[in-house]
Amino acid sequence: MIAAPVHPDPVRPSAIRIQRLLDRCVRHRSARLRLQPLSLADVAPLWQATRNPAFNAFLTWSQPAQRSELVERVQRMVARSQALEVAYLSAFDIVSGRWVGLYRIETDPDWGAERVFELGMWVHPDFWGAGWAAELHALGTSLAFLESDAPALAARSARANEKGWRTLERMGFRRDREYEEPAEGAPPIPAFRYRLERYDWERATAPAAAA
């Protein structure tokens, strides 16, 4: 069951923007994917994903040793969505109904004053390859731009995750800087920050003019 988000205080514009994303995400689909707010029902496939060491390689939190640890983490994620601090979304394969990955949209910590959203994505190892990650990022990017007034979107990728940052670059994200991402109980992770301006996205996704 999907928990209904708590309606925001009208004096919190950022909460209103997150509320809209949570409310409208189910309207957005790609050729193979649909979205819905993250729920505790998604613990099972996420737990399975964390059993693959490669899935955990670029996470900023360590591999959960016990399923209960992951349940607590997902509970915190759902609570943050209900508090309208961040939109945590699950992506599903439209045909099979299988859980494909987790998507995050929240106000960017560096460019929040500009109303910029930051995007984050984790894809189940069963869906690595065949363009699933790129399709999910494109869907999340479309949702964030179409359902908000964000002038730009930001994303980050571990420097060692070449597939991740090359996907961002193919989508038009431009590298902003290199930095070290803090990690729970581990050394900082060398990473890249990216930014995509709305006008660049609109130009890239606009239908071709009729001849």
Side-chain angles (χ1 to χ4, degrees):
M1 180 179 296
I2 303 172
V6 177
H7 286 281
D9 183 324
V11 303
R12 294 172 55 206
S14 62
I16 295 172
R17 298 169 79 226
I18 294 295
Q19 177 78 72
R20 184 179 179 90
L21 294 174
L22 291 167
D23 288 346
R24 304 245 179 152
C25 69
V26 295
R27 304 183 184 185
H28 291 259
R29 294 190 172 200
S30 63
R32 298 181 291 181
L33 295 169
R34 65 176 181 84
L35 299 171
Q36 69 181 44
L38 175 70
S39 75
L40 290 177
D42 302 324
V43 167
L46 184 54
W47 168 255
Q48 183 190 39
T50 63
R51 299 309 88 198
N52 186 326
F55 178 82
N56 302 281
F58 306 117
L59 293 180
T60 57
W61 40 280
S62 58
Q63 180 185 40
Q66 303 292 332
R67 188 186 179 105
S68 59
E69 296 176 26
L70 185 60
V71 170
E72 291 175 1
R73 183 174 294 277
V74 173
Q75 285 175 331
R76 292 194 296 270
M77 291 177 173
V78 171
R80 289 193 66 202
S81 284
Q82 290 176 333
L84 304 180
E85 298 172 359
V86 53
Y88 280 111
L89 309 172
S90 282
F92 294 87
D93 177 4
I94 293 173
V95 174
S96 69
R98 294 183 62 197
W99 188 88
V100 174
L102 175 66
Y103 208 81
R104 171 182 58 82
I105 307 175
E106 66 179 315
T107 300
D108 184 85
D110 295 332
W111 296 311
E114 300 179 43
R115 306 186 314 285
V116 174
F117 276 136
E118 182 185 77
L119 312 178
M121 179 183 69
W122 301 265
V123 175
H124 193 291
D126 288 354
F127 291 90
W128 289 352
W132 289 94
E135 186 171 336
L136 177 52
H137 242 326
L139 179 58
T141 298
S142 176
L143 168 67
F145 272 136
L146 294 177
E147 300 295 352
S148 82
D149 59 351
L153 300 176
R156 60 187 75 188
S157 178
R159 186 173 64 191
N161 185 10
E162 183 174 351
K163 288 184 178 179
W165 53 259
R166 287 198 181 280
T167 294
L168 291 172
E169 291 179 355
R170 284 194 297 270
M171 292 176 60
F173 281 81
R174 297 180 182 178
R175 188 177 300 176
D176 175 68
R177 62 184 170 90
E178 186 171 354
Y179 74 110
E180 290 194 332
E181 177 74 19
E184 294 181 15
I189 301 171
F192 298 131
R193 287 269 287 160
Y194 284 87
R195 178 166 168 145
L196 175 64
E197 303 297 330
R198 176 183 285 272
Y199 55 79
D200 286 332
W201 175 80
E202 290 176 342
R203 182 174 55 189
T205 57

mmCIF file with all atom_site columns, all heavy atoms in Angstrom, residues 33-58:
data_model
loop_
_atom_site.group_PDB
_atom_site.id
_atom_site.type_symbol
_atom_site.label_atom_id
_atom_site.label_alt_id
_atom_site.label_comp_id
_atom_site.label_asym_id
_atom_site.label_entity_id
_atom_site.label_seq_id
_atom_site.pdbx_PDB_ins_code
_atom_site.Cartn_x
_atom_site.Cartn_y
_atom_site.Cartn_z
_atom_site.occupancy
_atom_site.B_iso_or_equiv
_atom_site.pdbx_formal_charge
_atom_site.auth_seq_id
_atom_site.auth_comp_id
_atom_site.auth_asym_id
_atom_site.auth_atom_id
_atom_site.pdbx_PDB_model_num
ATOM 1   N N   . LEU A 1 33 ? 8.715  1.773   -18.581 1.00 0.00 ? 33 LEU A N   1
ATOM 2   C CA  . LEU A 1 33 ? 8.722  2.051   -17.150 1.00 0.00 ? 33 LEU A CA  1
ATOM 3   C C   . LEU A 1 33 ? 7.543  2.891   -16.688 1.00 0.00 ? 33 LEU A C   1
ATOM 4   O O   . LEU A 1 33 ? 7.051  3.756   -17.414 1.00 0.00 ? 33 LEU A O   1
ATOM 5   C CB  . LEU A 1 33 ? 10.011 2.787   -16.769 1.00 0.00 ? 33 LEU A CB  1
ATOM 6   C CG  . LEU A 1 33 ? 11.319 2.017   -16.934 1.00 0.00 ? 33 LEU A CG  1
ATOM 7   C CD1 . LEU A 1 33 ? 12.503 2.961   -16.772 1.00 0.00 ? 33 LEU A CD1 1
ATOM 8   C CD2 . LEU A 1 33 ? 11.392 0.888   -15.907 1.00 0.00 ? 33 LEU A CD2 1
ATOM 9   N N   . ARG A 1 34 ? 7.114  2.639   -15.473 1.00 0.00 ? 34 ARG A N   1
ATOM 10  C CA  . ARG A 1 34 ? 6.152  3.499   -14.787 1.00 0.00 ? 34 ARG A CA  1
ATOM 11  C C   . ARG A 1 34 ? 6.712  3.819   -13.398 1.00 0.00 ? 34 ARG A C   1
ATOM 12  O O   . ARG A 1 34 ? 7.583  3.102   -12.883 1.00 0.00 ? 34 ARG A O   1
ATOM 13  C CB  . ARG A 1 34 ? 4.789  2.804   -14.652 1.00 0.00 ? 34 ARG A CB  1
ATOM 14  C CG  . ARG A 1 34 ? 4.798  1.562   -13.774 1.00 0.00 ? 34 ARG A CG  1
ATOM 15  C CD  . ARG A 1 34 ? 3.405  0.971   -13.607 1.00 0.00 ? 34 ARG A CD  1
ATOM 16  N NE  . ARG A 1 34 ? 3.416  -0.217  -12.749 1.00 0.00 ? 34 ARG A NE  1
ATOM 17  C CZ  . ARG A 1 34 ? 3.370  -0.176  -11.425 1.00 0.00 ? 34 ARG A CZ  1
ATOM 18  N NH1 . ARG A 1 34 ? 3.312  0.997   -10.782 1.00 0.00 ? 34 ARG A NH1 1
ATOM 19  N NH2 . ARG A 1 34 ? 3.378  -1.292  -10.718 1.00 0.00 ? 34 ARG A NH2 1
ATOM 20  N N   . LEU A 1 35 ? 6.199  4.888   -12.795 1.00 0.00 ? 35 LEU A N   1
ATOM 21  C CA  . LEU A 1 35 ? 6.676  5.348   -11.495 1.00 0.00 ? 35 LEU A CA  1
ATOM 22  C C   . LEU A 1 35 ? 5.565  5.357   -10.468 1.00 0.00 ? 35 LEU A C   1
ATOM 23  O O   . LEU A 1 35 ? 4.392  5.540   -10.802 1.00 0.00 ? 35 LEU A O   1
ATOM 24  C CB  . LEU A 1 35 ? 7.246  6.771   -11.621 1.00 0.00 ? 35 LEU A CB  1
ATOM 25  C CG  . LEU A 1 35 ? 8.429  6.981   -12.556 1.00 0.00 ? 35 LEU A CG  1
ATOM 26  C CD1 . LEU A 1 35 ? 8.698  8.473   -12.716 1.00 0.00 ? 35 LEU A CD1 1
ATOM 27  C CD2 . LEU A 1 35 ? 9.672  6.274   -12.032 1.00 0.00 ? 35 LEU A CD2 1
ATOM 28  N N   . GLN A 1 36 ? 5.944  5.195   -9.205  1.00 0.00 ? 36 GLN A N   1
ATOM 29  C CA  . GLN A 1 36 ? 5.029  5.416   -8.089  1.00 0.00 ? 36 GLN A CA  1
ATOM 30  C C   . GLN A 1 36 ? 5.868  5.726   -6.860  1.00 0.00 ? 36 GLN A C   1
ATOM 31  O O   . GLN A 1 36 ? 7.063  5.395   -6.801  1.00 0.00 ? 36 GLN A O   1
ATOM 32  C CB  . GLN A 1 36 ? 4.138  4.195   -7.843  1.00 0.00 ? 36 GLN A CB  1
ATOM 33  C CG  . GLN A 1 36 ? 4.855  2.970   -7.300  1.00 0.00 ? 36 GLN A CG  1
ATOM 34  C CD  . GLN A 1 36 ? 3.907  1.789   -7.116  1.00 0.00 ? 36 GLN A CD  1
ATOM 35  O OE1 . GLN A 1 36 ? 3.083  1.498   -7.990  1.00 0.00 ? 36 GLN A OE1 1
ATOM 36  N NE2 . GLN A 1 36 ? 4.016  1.128   -5.984  1.00 0.00 ? 36 GLN A NE2 1
ATOM 37  N N   . PRO A 1 37 ? 5.283  6.377   -5.841  1.00 0.00 ? 37 PRO A N   1
ATOM 38  C CA  . PRO A 1 37 ? 6.044  6.672   -4.633  1.00 0.00 ? 37 PRO A CA  1
ATOM 39  C C   . PRO A 1 37 ? 6.588  5.406   -3.973  1.00 0.00 ? 37 PRO A C   1
ATOM 40  O O   . PRO A 1 37 ? 5.941  4.357   -3.975  1.00 0.00 ? 37 PRO A O   1
ATOM 41  C CB  . PRO A 1 37 ? 5.009  7.363   -3.733  1.00 0.00 ? 37 PRO A CB  1
ATOM 42  C CG  . PRO A 1 37 ? 4.040  7.983   -4.695  1.00 0.00 ? 37 PRO A CG  1
ATOM 43  C CD  . PRO A 1 37 ? 3.937  6.990   -5.824  1.00 0.00 ? 37 PRO A CD  1
ATOM 44  N N   . LEU A 1 38 ? 7.779  5.502   -3.429  1.00 0.00 ? 38 LEU A N   1
ATOM 45  C CA  . LEU A 1 38 ? 8.398  4.388   -2.711  1.00 0.00 ? 38 LEU A CA  1
ATOM 46  C C   . LEU A 1 38 ? 7.518  3.960   -1.542  1.00 0.00 ? 38 LEU A C   1
ATOM 47  O O   . LEU A 1 38 ? 6.920  4.791   -0.859  1.00 0.00 ? 38 LEU A O   1
ATOM 48  C CB  . LEU A 1 38 ? 9.765  4.822   -2.175  1.00 0.00 ? 38 LEU A CB  1
ATOM 49  C CG  . LEU A 1 38 ? 10.529 3.834   -1.286  1.00 0.00 ? 38 LEU A CG  1
ATOM 50  C CD1 . LEU A 1 38 ? 11.027 2.652   -2.113  1.00 0.00 ? 38 LEU A CD1 1
ATOM 51  C CD2 . LEU A 1 38 ? 11.685 4.537   -0.588  1.00 0.00 ? 38 LEU A CD2 1
ATOM 52  N N   . SER A 1 39 ? 7.457  2.644   -1.283  1.00 0.00 ? 39 SER A N   1
ATOM 53  C CA  . SER A 1 39 ? 6.701  2.128   -0.147  1.00 0.00 ? 39 SER A CA  1
ATOM 54  C C   . SER A 1 39 ? 7.480  0.975   0.477   1.00 0.00 ? 39 SER A C   1
ATOM 55  O O   . SER A 1 39 ? 8.455  0.469   -0.093  1.00 0.00 ? 39 SER A O   1
ATOM 56  C CB  . SER A 1 39 ? 5.312  1.655   -0.568  1.00 0.00 ? 39 SER A CB  1
ATOM 57  O OG  . SER A 1 39 ? 5.388  0.413   -1.250  1.00 0.00 ? 39 SER A OG  1
ATOM 58  N N   . LEU A 1 40 ? 7.034  0.520   1.637   1.00 0.00 ? 40 LEU A N   1
ATOM 59  C CA  . LEU A 1 40 ? 7.696  -0.593  2.310   1.00 0.00 ? 40 LEU A CA  1
ATOM 60  C C   . LEU A 1 40 ? 7.585  -1.887  1.515   1.00 0.00 ? 40 LEU A C   1
ATOM 61  O O   . LEU A 1 40 ? 8.378  -2.814  1.713   1.00 0.00 ? 40 LEU A O   1
ATOM 62  C CB  . LEU A 1 40 ? 7.115  -0.784  3.716   1.00 0.00 ? 40 LEU A CB  1
ATOM 63  C CG  . LEU A 1 40 ? 7.466  0.309   4.733   1.00 0.00 ? 40 LEU A CG  1
ATOM 64  C CD1 . LEU A 1 40 ? 6.772  0.051   6.058   1.00 0.00 ? 40 LEU A CD1 1
ATOM 65  C CD2 . LEU A 1 40 ? 8.972  0.380   4.935   1.00 0.00 ? 40 LEU A CD2 1
ATOM 66  N N   . ALA A 1 41 ? 6.640  -1.962  0.601   1.00 0.00 ? 41 ALA A N   1
ATOM 67  C CA  . ALA A 1 41 ? 6.529  -3.148  -0.252  1.00 0.00 ? 41 ALA A CA  1
ATOM 68  C C   . ALA A 1 41 ? 7.741  -3.295  -1.163  1.00 0.00 ? 41 ALA A C   1
ATOM 69  O O   . ALA A 1 41 ? 7.988  -4.390  -1.699  1.00 0.00 ? 41 ALA A O   1
ATOM 70  C CB  . ALA A 1 41 ? 5.252  -3.065  -1.084  1.00 0.00 ? 41 ALA A CB  1
ATOM 71  N N   . ASP A 1 42 ? 8.508  -2.228  -1.317  1.00 0.00 ? 42 ASP A N   1
ATOM 72  C CA  . ASP A 1 42 ? 9.666  -2.265  -2.205  1.00 0.00 ? 42 ASP A CA  1
ATOM 73  C C   . ASP A 1 42 ? 10.934 -2.743  -1.497  1.00 0.00 ? 42 ASP A C   1
ATOM 74  O O   . ASP A 1 42 ? 12.003 -2.814  -2.126  1.00 0.00 ? 42 ASP A O   1
ATOM 75  C CB  . ASP A 1 42 ? 9.902  -0.880  -2.809  1.00 0.00 ? 42 ASP A CB  1
ATOM 76  C CG  . ASP A 1 42 ? 8.686  -0.377  -3.567  1.00 0.00 ? 42 ASP A CG  1
ATOM 77  O OD1 . ASP A 1 42 ? 7.999  -1.205  -4.198  1.00 0.00 ? 42 ASP A OD1 1
ATOM 78  O OD2 . ASP A 1 42 ? 8.404  0.836   -3.503  1.00 0.00 ? 42 ASP A OD2 1
ATOM 79  N N   . VAL A 1 43 ? 10.839 -3.059  -0.212  1.00 0.00 ? 43 VAL A N   1
ATOM 80  C CA  . VAL A 1 43 ? 12.004 -3.544  0.524   1.00 0.00 ? 43 VAL A CA  1
ATOM 81  C C   . VAL A 1 43 ? 12.529 -4.838  -0.080  1.00 0.00 ? 43 VAL A C   1
ATOM 82  O O   . VAL A 1 43 ? 13.743 -5.027  -0.236  1.00 0.00 ? 43 VAL A O   1
ATOM 83  C CB  . VAL A 1 43 ? 11.676 -3.744  2.020   1.00 0.00 ? 43 VAL A CB  1
ATOM 84  C CG1 . VAL A 1 43 ? 12.779 -4.541  2.717   1.00 0.00 ? 43 VAL A CG1 1
ATOM 85  C CG2 . VAL A 1 43 ? 11.474 -2.405  2.709   1.00 0.00 ? 43 VAL A CG2 1
ATOM 86  N N   . ALA A 1 44 ? 11.623 -5.761  -0.438  1.00 0.00 ? 44 ALA A N   1
ATOM 87  C CA  . ALA A 1 44 ? 12.039 -7.081  -0.925  1.00 0.00 ? 44 ALA A CA  1
ATOM 88  C C   . ALA A 1 44 ? 12.964 -6.996  -2.138  1.00 0.00 ? 44 ALA A C   1
ATOM 89  O O   . ALA A 1 44 ? 14.060 -7.574  -2.126  1.00 0.00 ? 44 ALA A O   1
ATOM 90  C CB  . ALA A 1 44 ? 10.824 -7.949  -1.213  1.00 0.00 ? 44 ALA A CB  1
ATOM 91  N N   . PRO A 1 45 ? 12.576 -6.312  -3.228  1.00 0.00 ? 45 PRO A N   1
ATOM 92  C CA  . PRO A 1 45 ? 13.486 -6.245  -4.378  1.00 0.00 ? 45 PRO A CA  1
ATOM 93  C C   . PRO A 1 45 ? 14.747 -5.434  -4.092  1.00 0.00 ? 45 PRO A C   1
ATOM 94  O O   . PRO A 1 45 ? 15.817 -5.730  -4.635  1.00 0.00 ? 45 PRO A O   1
ATOM 95  C CB  . PRO A 1 45 ? 12.637 -5.609  -5.477  1.00 0.00 ? 45 PRO A CB  1
ATOM 96  C CG  . PRO A 1 45 ? 11.558 -4.876  -4.758  1.00 0.00 ? 45 PRO A CG  1
ATOM 97  C CD  . PRO A 1 45 ? 11.274 -5.680  -3.540  1.00 0.00 ? 45 PRO A CD  1
ATOM 98  N N   . LEU A 1 46 ? 14.629 -4.412  -3.237  1.00 0.00 ? 46 LEU A N   1
ATOM 99  C CA  . LEU A 1 46 ? 15.812 -3.624  -2.896  1.00 0.00 ? 46 LEU A CA  1
ATOM 100 C C   . LEU A 1 46 ? 16.793 -4.461  -2.075  1.00 0.00 ? 46 LEU A C   1
ATOM 101 O O   . LEU A 1 46 ? 18.011 -4.385  -2.265  1.00 0.00 ? 46 LEU A O   1
ATOM 102 C CB  . LEU A 1 46 ? 15.403 -2.363  -2.130  1.00 0.00 ? 46 LEU A CB  1
ATOM 103 C CG  . LEU A 1 46 ? 16.525 -1.369  -1.789  1.00 0.00 ? 46 LEU A CG  1
ATOM 104 C CD1 . LEU A 1 46 ? 17.304 -0.968  -3.038  1.00 0.00 ? 46 LEU A CD1 1
ATOM 105 C CD2 . LEU A 1 46 ? 15.951 -0.133  -1.109  1.00 0.00 ? 46 LEU A CD2 1
ATOM 106 N N   . TRP A 1 47 ? 16.278 -5.286  -1.169  1.00 0.00 ? 47 TRP A N   1
ATOM 107 C CA  . TRP A 1 47 ? 17.121 -6.185  -0.399  1.00 0.00 ? 47 TRP A CA  1
ATOM 108 C C   . TRP A 1 47 ? 17.856 -7.153  -1.338  1.00 0.00 ? 47 TRP A C   1
ATOM 109 O O   . TRP A 1 47 ? 19.054 -7.393  -1.187  1.00 0.00 ? 47 TRP A O   1
ATOM 110 C CB  . TRP A 1 47 ? 16.275 -6.954  0.615   1.00 0.00 ? 47 TRP A CB  1
ATOM 111 C CG  . TRP A 1 47 ? 16.985 -8.105  1.269   1.00 0.00 ? 47 TRP A CG  1
ATOM 112 C CD1 . TRP A 1 47 ? 16.813 -9.438  1.022   1.00 0.00 ? 47 TRP A CD1 1
ATOM 113 C CD2 . TRP A 1 47 ? 18.001 -8.018  2.288   1.00 0.00 ? 47 TRP A CD2 1
ATOM 114 N NE1 . TRP A 1 47 ? 17.644 -10.186 1.817   1.00 0.00 ? 47 TRP A NE1 1
ATOM 115 C CE2 . TRP A 1 47 ? 18.387 -9.349  2.597   1.00 0.00 ? 47 TRP A CE2 1
ATOM 116 C CE3 . TRP A 1 47 ? 18.605 -6.956  2.949   1.00 0.00 ? 47 TRP A CE3 1
ATOM 117 C CZ2 . TRP A 1 47 ? 19.362 -9.633  3.560   1.00 0.00 ? 47 TRP A CZ2 1
ATOM 118 C CZ3 . TRP A 1 47 ? 19.582 -7.247  3.905   1.00 0.00 ? 47 TRP A CZ3 1
ATOM 119 C CH2 . TRP A 1 47 ? 19.954 -8.564  4.205   1.00 0.00 ? 47 TRP A CH2 1
ATOM 120 N N   . GLN A 1 48 ? 17.125 -7.685  -2.309  1.00 0.00 ? 48 GLN A N   1
ATOM 121 C CA  . GLN A 1 48 ? 17.753 -8.587  -3.268  1.00 0.00 ? 48 GLN A CA  1
ATOM 122 C C   . GLN A 1 48 ? 18.868 -7.878  -4.024  1.00 0.00 ? 48 GLN A C   1
ATOM 123 O O   . GLN A 1 48 ? 19.944 -8.449  -4.261  1.00 0.00 ? 48 GLN A O   1
ATOM 124 C CB  . GLN A 1 48 ? 16.709 -9.115  -4.253  1.00 0.00 ? 48 GLN A CB  1
ATOM 125 C CG  . GLN A 1 48 ? 17.266 -10.117 -5.257  1.00 0.00 ? 48 GLN A CG  1
ATOM 126 C CD  . GLN A 1 48 ? 16.282 -10.449 -6.365  1.00 0.00 ? 48 GLN A CD  1
ATOM 127 O OE1 . GLN A 1 48 ? 15.571 -9.567  -6.848  1.00 0.00 ? 48 GLN A OE1 1
ATOM 128 N NE2 . GLN A 1 48 ? 16.227 -11.709 -6.759  1.00 0.00 ? 48 GLN A NE2 1
ATOM 129 N N   . ALA A 1 49 ? 18.642 -6.631  -4.401  1.00 0.00 ? 49 ALA A N   1
ATOM 130 C CA  . ALA A 1 49 ? 19.656 -5.870  -5.132  1.00 0.00 ? 49 ALA A CA  1
ATOM 131 C C   . ALA A 1 49 ? 20.915 -5.679  -4.293  1.00 0.00 ? 49 ALA A C   1
ATOM 132 O O   . ALA A 1 49 ? 22.039 -5.779  -4.803  1.00 0.00 ? 49 ALA A O   1
ATOM 133 C CB  . ALA A 1 49 ? 19.089 -4.516  -5.547  1.00 0.00 ? 49 ALA A CB  1
ATOM 134 N N   . THR A 1 50 ? 20.756 -5.427  -3.001  1.00 0.00 ? 50 THR A N   1
ATOM 135 C CA  . THR A 1 50 ? 21.918 -5.185  -2.143  1.00 0.00 ? 50 THR A CA  1
ATOM 136 C C   . THR A 1 50 ? 22.732 -6.442  -1.884  1.00 0.00 ? 50 THR A C   1
ATOM 137 O O   . THR A 1 50 ? 23.826 -6.362  -1.321  1.00 0.00 ? 50 THR A O   1
ATOM 138 C CB  . THR A 1 50 ? 21.497 -4.570  -0.793  1.00 0.00 ? 50 THR A CB  1
ATOM 139 O OG1 . THR A 1 50 ? 20.660 -5.486  -0.076  1.00 0.00 ? 50 THR A OG1 1
ATOM 140 C CG2 . THR A 1 50 ? 20.763 -3.250  -0.989  1.00 0.00 ? 50 THR A CG2 1
ATOM 141 N N   . ARG A 1 51 ? 22.236 -7.610  -2.271  1.00 0.00 ? 51 ARG A N   1
ATOM 142 C CA  . ARG A 1 51 ? 23.031 -8.839  -2.124  1.00 0.00 ? 51 ARG A CA  1
ATOM 143 C C   . ARG A 1 51 ? 24.125 -8.907  -3.185  1.00 0.00 ? 51 ARG A C   1
ATOM 144 O O   . ARG A 1 51 ? 25.029 -9.740  -3.076  1.00 0.00 ? 51 ARG A O   1
ATOM 145 C CB  . ARG A 1 51 ? 22.137 -10.085 -2.226  1.00 0.00 ? 51 ARG A CB  1
ATOM 146 C CG  . ARG A 1 51 ? 21.039 -10.217 -1.160  1.00 0.00 ? 51 ARG A CG  1
ATOM 147 C CD  . ARG A 1 51 ? 21.568 -10.060 0.264   1.00 0.00 ? 51 ARG A CD  1
ATOM 148 N NE  . ARG A 1 51 ? 21.570 -8.655  0.680   1.00 0.00 ? 51 ARG A NE  1
ATOM 149 C CZ  . ARG A 1 51 ? 22.290 -8.177  1.712   1.00 0.00 ? 51 ARG A CZ  1
ATOM 150 N NH1 . ARG A 1 51 ? 23.070 -8.973  2.410   1.00 0.00 ? 51 ARG A NH1 1
ATOM 151 N NH2 . ARG A 1 51 ? 22.217 -6.908  2.035   1.00 0.00 ? 51 ARG A NH2 1
ATOM 152 N N   . ASN A 1 52 ? 24.019 -8.088  -4.209  1.00 0.00 ? 52 ASN A N   1
ATOM 153 C CA  . ASN A 1 52 ? 25.023 -8.039  -5.262  1.00 0.00 ? 52 ASN A CA  1
ATOM 154 C C   . ASN A 1 52 ? 26.069 -6.988  -4.884  1.00 0.00 ? 52 ASN A C   1
ATOM 155 O O   . ASN A 1 52 ? 25.748 -5.797  -4.820  1.00 0.00 ? 52 ASN A O   1
ATOM 156 C CB  . ASN A 1 52 ? 24.361 -7.678  -6.594  1.00 0.00 ? 52 ASN A CB  1
ATOM 157 C CG  . ASN A 1 52 ? 25.323 -7.742  -7.766  1.00 0.00 ? 52 ASN A CG  1
ATOM 158 O OD1 . ASN A 1 52 ? 26.503 -7.440  -7.638  1.00 0.00 ? 52 ASN A OD1 1
ATOM 159 N ND2 . ASN A 1 52 ? 24.806 -8.117  -8.925  1.00 0.00 ? 52 ASN A ND2 1
ATOM 160 N N   . PRO A 1 53 ? 27.330 -7.388  -4.623  1.00 0.00 ? 53 PRO A N   1
ATOM 161 C CA  . PRO A 1 53 ? 28.346 -6.413  -4.206  1.00 0.00 ? 53 PRO A CA  1
ATOM 162 C C   . PRO A 1 53 ? 28.515 -5.261  -5.183  1.00 0.00 ? 53 PRO A C   1
ATOM 163 O O   . PRO A 1 53 ? 28.799 -4.131  -4.775  1.00 0.00 ? 53 PRO A O   1
ATOM 164 C CB  . PRO A 1 53 ? 29.624 -7.261  -4.120  1.00 0.00 ? 53 PRO A CB  1
ATOM 165 C CG  . PRO A 1 53 ? 29.141 -8.653  -3.875  1.00 0.00 ? 53 PRO A CG  1
ATOM 166 C CD  . PRO A 1 53 ? 27.856 -8.763  -4.655  1.00 0.00 ? 53 PRO A CD  1
ATOM 167 N N   . ALA A 1 54 ? 28.319 -5.513  -6.477  1.00 0.00 ? 54 ALA A N   1
ATOM 168 C CA  . ALA A 1 54 ? 28.480 -4.451  -7.468  1.00 0.00 ? 54 ALA A CA  1
ATOM 169 C C   . ALA A 1 54 ? 27.426 -3.362  -7.297  1.00 0.00 ? 54 ALA A C   1
ATOM 170 O O   . ALA A 1 54 ? 27.683 -2.190  -7.588  1.00 0.00 ? 54 ALA A O   1
ATOM 171 C CB  . ALA A 1 54 ? 28.414 -5.034  -8.877  1.00 0.00 ? 54 ALA A CB  1
ATOM 172 N N   . PHE A 1 55 ? 26.237 -3.736  -6.823  1.00 0.00 ? 55 PHE A N   1
ATOM 173 C CA  . PHE A 1 55 ? 25.180 -2.741  -6.599  1.00 0.00 ? 55 PHE A CA  1
ATOM 174 C C   . PHE A 1 55 ? 25.593 -1.764  -5.508  1.00 0.00 ? 55 PHE A C   1
ATOM 175 O O   . PHE A 1 55 ? 25.270 -0.577  -5.545  1.00 0.00 ? 55 PHE A O   1
ATOM 176 C CB  . PHE A 1 55 ? 23.879 -3.444  -6.199  1.00 0.00 ? 55 PHE A CB  1
ATOM 177 C CG  . PHE A 1 55 ? 22.730 -2.513  -5.899  1.00 0.00 ? 55 PHE A CG  1
ATOM 178 C CD1 . PHE A 1 55 ? 21.966 -1.983  -6.922  1.00 0.00 ? 55 PHE A CD1 1
ATOM 179 C CD2 . PHE A 1 55 ? 22.412 -2.177  -4.593  1.00 0.00 ? 55 PHE A CD2 1
ATOM 180 C CE1 . PHE A 1 55 ? 20.896 -1.127  -6.653  1.00 0.00 ? 55 PHE A CE1 1
ATOM 181 C CE2 . PHE A 1 55 ? 21.353 -1.324  -4.312  1.00 0.00 ? 55 PHE A CE2 1
ATOM 182 C CZ  . PHE A 1 55 ? 20.591 -0.803  -5.348  1.00 0.00 ? 55 PHE A CZ  1
ATOM 183 N N   . ASN A 1 56 ? 26.324 -2.258  -4.512  1.00 0.00 ? 56 ASN A N   1
ATOM 184 C CA  . ASN A 1 56 ? 26.715 -1.440  -3.365  1.00 0.00 ? 56 ASN A CA  1
ATOM 185 C C   . ASN A 1 56 ? 27.978 -0.621  -3.610  1.00 0.00 ? 56 ASN A C   1
ATOM 186 O O   . ASN A 1 56 ? 28.336 0.221   -2.791  1.00 0.00 ? 56 ASN A O   1
ATOM 187 C CB  . ASN A 1 56 ? 26.938 -2.342  -2.151  1.00 0.00 ? 56 ASN A CB  1
ATOM 188 C CG  . ASN A 1 56 ? 25.702 -3.149  -1.795  1.00 0.00 ? 56 ASN A CG  1
ATOM 189 O OD1 . ASN A 1 56 ? 24.779 -2.654  -1.179  1.00 0.00 ? 56 ASN A OD1 1
ATOM 190 N ND2 . ASN A 1 56 ? 25.681 -4.410  -2.194  1.00 0.00 ? 56 ASN A ND2 1
ATOM 191 N N   . ALA A 1 57 ? 28.659 -0.877  -4.735  1.00 0.00 ? 57 ALA A N   1
ATOM 192 C CA  . ALA A 1 57 ? 29.977 -0.295  -4.958  1.00 0.00 ? 57 ALA A CA  1
ATOM 193 C C   . ALA A 1 57 ? 29.984 1.225   -4.890  1.00 0.00 ? 57 ALA A C   1
ATOM 194 O O   . ALA A 1 57 ? 30.942 1.822   -4.385  1.00 0.00 ? 57 ALA A O   1
ATOM 195 C CB  . ALA A 1 57 ? 30.525 -0.764  -6.307  1.00 0.00 ? 57 ALA A CB  1
ATOM 196 N N   . PHE A 1 58 ? 28.937 1.875   -5.370  1.00 0.00 ? 58 PHE A N   1
ATOM 197 C CA  . PHE A 1 58 ? 28.938 3.333   -5.445  1.00 0.00 ? 58 PHE A CA  1
ATOM 198 C C   . PHE A 1 58 ? 27.891 3.970   -4.537  1.00 0.00 ? 58 PHE A C   1
ATOM 199 O O   . PHE A 1 58 ? 27.564 5.149   -4.694  1.00 0.00 ? 58 PHE A O   1
ATOM 200 C CB  . PHE A 1 58 ? 28.731 3.777   -6.896  1.00 0.00 ? 58 PHE A CB  1
ATOM 201 C CG  . PHE A 1 58 ? 29.721 3.169   -7.846  1.00 0.00 ? 58 PHE A CG  1
ATOM 202 C CD1 . PHE A 1 58 ? 29.307 2.324   -8.860  1.00 0.00 ? 58 PHE A CD1 1
ATOM 203 C CD2 . PHE A 1 58 ? 31.085 3.419   -7.714  1.00 0.00 ? 58 PHE A CD2 1
ATOM 204 C CE1 . PHE A 1 58 ? 30.212 1.742   -9.734  1.00 0.00 ? 58 PHE A CE1 1
ATOM 205 C CE2 . PHE A 1 58 ? 32.003 2.851   -8.584  1.00 0.00 ? 58 PHE A CE2 1
ATOM 206 C CZ  . PHE A 1 58 ? 31.569 2.009   -9.595  1.00 0.00 ? 58 PHE A CZ  1
#
